[in-house]
Amino acid sequence: VQLQASGGGLVQAGGSLRLSCAASGRTSSSGPVGWFRQAPGKEREFVAALDRWTSGTVYAGSVKGRFTISRDKAKNTVYLEMNSLKPEDTAVYYCATRDGRVVTSAMDQPGQYHYWGRGTLVTVSS
C-alpha cells in the first residue's frame, strides 16, 4: 500500500484547508486510515482516524469540532477537512493505514499503523 498526502500550505488563523490521502497498491484492506501530525521539536500526535469497516471516526480532543475526516471509496482517498485553524495546528501531517482491523480505542496509536505516507506541511500564521 502506498499513501500520498497532499493539500498542505500556508493559511491564516481561522482559515481552512483540506488534506487528501490517496491510496494505491493493495487498497482492499479493511484497516483504519489515520491522520497524525508532528510539529517541530514535538512527538508525532494523533489527529483523527476513520474505520473503513464501520465508517466510524475518532478525533483528538484538540481538533474535535474543527476537523472532519471522510473518504471517497471510489477514489481510494481519505480527506481531512480542517476549519478554524490555529497557529498550534502548524505541523507536518501524515496519513497512515494498516492491514486488518483494530479496536477503536487503539486507532489513535501510531504503532498500530503499518503504512505511512510522506507528510504534507500545514503552516497557520497568527
Side-chain angles (χ1 to χ4, degrees), residues 15-17 19 35-37 45-48 57-70 79-86 88-90 93 122 124:
S16 299
L17 280 175
L19 305 184
W35 284 97
F36 294 80
R37 66 187 182 187
E45 66 172 0
F46 169 75
V47 177
T57 56
V58 180
Y59 295 93
S62 59
V63 307
K64 193 173 294 184
R66 300 188 297 124
F67 291 11
T68 302
I69 188 171
S70 62
Y79 303 100
L80 184 68
E81 185 76 34
M82 306 186 295
N83 298 313
S84 302
L85 282 162
K86 305 175 181 180
E88 50 264 42
D89 294 319
T90 295
Y93 284 70
V122 172
V124 184

Side-chain angles (χ1 to χ4, degrees), residues 11-58:
V11 63
Q12 288 188 330
S16 299
L17 280 175
R18 187 177 78 160
L19 305 184
S20 300
C21 177
S24 60
R26 185 168 48 84
T27 59
S28 60
S29 170
S30 59
V33 176
W35 284 97
F36 294 80
R37 66 187 182 187
Q38 187 165 18
K42 295 187 177 181
E43 293 187 355
R44 189 169 298 189
E45 66 172 0
F46 169 75
V47 177
L50 181 145
D51 185 327
R52 288 189 285 178
W53 187 258
T54 66
S55 296
T57 56
V58 180

Side-chain angles (χ1 to χ4, degrees), residues 100-112:
R101 300 183 64 190
V102 66
V103 295
T104 301
S105 60
M107 285 168 56
D108 61 350
Q109 300 171 16
Q112 294 290 340

